[in-house]
Amino acid sequence: MDRIRHVIIFLSLFIFNLLVNAGPGYGMRLIEVQPLFEAREQLNQPSDVAVSNDGRIYVVDGVNSKIRIFEQGGQLVSSFGGLGAKNGQLRFPLGIDLDRSGTVYVADAGNHRVQIFSPQGDFIAKIDIPPGKTKPFNYPFLMALDRDKYLYVVEVINTRVQVLNPAGLFVNFIGGWGVENGEFYRPKGVALDQQNRIYVSDSYLGVIQVFDATGSFFAALGDPRTKKVKKFKTPAGLFIDRLNRLYVVEMLANKVSVFSLK
C-alpha cells in the first residue's frame, strides 16, 4: 500500500509541475504580483506575519522565539520575546494577529497559551490553553477573519480550509487533497483581500491559490516576467494590508516577501 501511495504522489506531483510550467495556456487564470521589497534580517524559519494600520510589519521568528518588527521597505526596527516560559517570553510561537488599536496577539505554541502585547512589545496579559484540549479540527495551523467575521481555519492534515460563521458554526470547506486547481498538498497560510477573495499558501508545492467568496477556485498567483505560476520557497503565513499589498512568509528562505496585487 505504501508503494502504491508513493506512486500516486509521484504522478500527482509530475502532473502539477506540468501545469505550473505550462503557464496560462492550460486555462489557469493568473493574478500577477509585482515584487516590492523583502524583510529578512535575523529571521530563522519565520511562520506568520501581521501588519499594523501604520504599516509596521510583525513577523513570528519561530526558531528564535521572538517577534521581529520591520518598517515598510524591510528595515528591522526592534524585537521582543525570547525563549522561556515567563510572561513576555515565548517558546516556538507560530501565529500572530493585531487588532485595530495595534495590540499584538501571539500564539505561543510551546507554552500552550496566547500572549497579548502592546504595539511596542510590552507584555499585557496571557490566555492559557490546556494541552491536549480537543478541537473539531485536524492540526489547525493559521487562520483569518473576513469583514463579516467569518473565520477561515487552515487544517494542514485534512488539506483544506474550514469556514465558520460568527457563531462558530460550520459553513464550508475549501480545497481538499491533491495537486490540481483548488486542491492542496500542505496548506499553511490564509488571507483575504478587499474583494473577499481567499488566498491560501501551499508550503510543499510552493504556490498560492486564490478562491472566490463561495470557496471555488479562482486563480493562482503569477509571475509577471514569466507569465507562469509564481513559485515561492515554503510559503506559510499570509497577510494583505489596506493598500492591497500581499505579505508572504517564505519559511525556509528566512524572509517575508512583499508584493503589490493587481
Side-chain angles (χ1 to χ4, degrees):
M1 291 299 294
D2 285 343
R3 184 176 180 181
I4 294 174
R5 183 173 181 271
H6 290 157
V7 170
I8 292 172
I9 291 173
F10 173 80
L11 290 174
S12 297
L13 293 176
F14 177 75
I15 293 170
F16 170 80
N17 285 323
L18 286 178
L19 292 172
V20 166
N21 293 321
Y26 274 65
M28 182 184 294
R29 181 190 285 117
L30 298 180
I31 296 177
E32 294 182 355
V33 291
Q34 298 287 346
L36 296 176
F37 62 88
E38 296 176 348
R40 58 167 65 239
E41 190 175 348
Q42 299 185 28
L43 296 177
N44 190 351
Q45 296 187 31
S47 58
D48 199 13
V49 60
V51 182
S52 66
N53 289 335
D54 61 1
R56 289 288 180 94
I57 306 165
Y58 292 74
V59 183
V60 178
D61 188 3
V63 172
N64 291 319
S65 293
K66 288 190 174 184
I67 305 300
R68 308 285 187 190
I69 306 176
F70 296 86
E71 292 180 338
Q72 292 293 316
Q75 298 81 15
L76 179 65
V77 176
S78 61
S79 306
F80 62 90
L83 182 62
K86 296 180 180 178
N87 291 344
Q89 294 180 327
L90 303 167
R91 189 178 299 276
F92 308 118
L94 286 177
I96 191 168
D97 205 355
L98 281 72
D99 64 19
R100 293 180 181 177
S101 67
T103 302
V104 184
Y105 299 79
V106 179
D108 186 8
N111 288 319
H112 304 288
R113 64 188 180 185
V114 174
Q115 290 202 69
I116 305 171
F117 299 88
S118 73
Q120 295 75 34
D122 300 316
F123 173 81
I124 295 175
K126 64 180 179 180
I127 304 170
D128 291 316
I129 301 173
K133 186 176 178 64
T134 58
K135 296 181 179 183
F137 304 100
N138 195 351
Y139 200 79
F141 195 67
L142 300 177
M143 60 188 72
L145 276 174
D146 70 12
R147 58 185 175 225
D148 297 317
K149 302 296 177 67
Y150 280 72
L151 182 64
Y152 298 75
V153 183
V154 177
E155 294 186 83
V156 176
I157 302 301
N158 284 337
T159 60
R160 65 191 182 193
V161 176
Q162 187 170 164
V163 186
L164 306 177
N165 69 16
L169 300 177
F170 170 78
V171 174
N172 192 19
F173 288 127
I174 298 173
W177 190 88
V179 297
E180 297 186 6
N181 295 350
E183 298 176 336
F184 307 122
Y185 199 88
R186 275 293 179 270
K188 288 291 178 65
V190 60
L192 291 100
D193 66 15
Q194 285 122 1
Q195 297 170 273
N196 240 24
R197 293 185 299 205
I198 305 125
Y199 294 64
V200 183
S201 62
D202 193 314
S203 64
Y204 189 88
L205 298 178
V207 301
I208 296 174
Q209 297 188 69
V210 185
F211 299 81
D212 64 23
T214 68
S216 299
F217 175 79
F218 178 75
L221 293 193
D223 189 324
R225 298 169 302 169
T226 64
K227 305 300 180 182
K228 297 179 180 179
V229 175
K230 183 167 182 59
K231 295 299 293 291
F232 300 86
K233 190 170 183 180
T234 56
L238 304 175
F239 189 89
I240 299 174
D241 68 13
R242 296 186 299 174
L243 298 178
N244 215 32
R245 291 174 294 205
L246 171 67
Y247 300 75
V248 181
V249 176
E250 297 189 70
M251 182 177 284
L252 294 186
N254 296 320
K255 67 179 181 180
V256 177
S257 301
V258 186
F259 303 89
S260 174
L261 290 170
K262 285 189 173 182

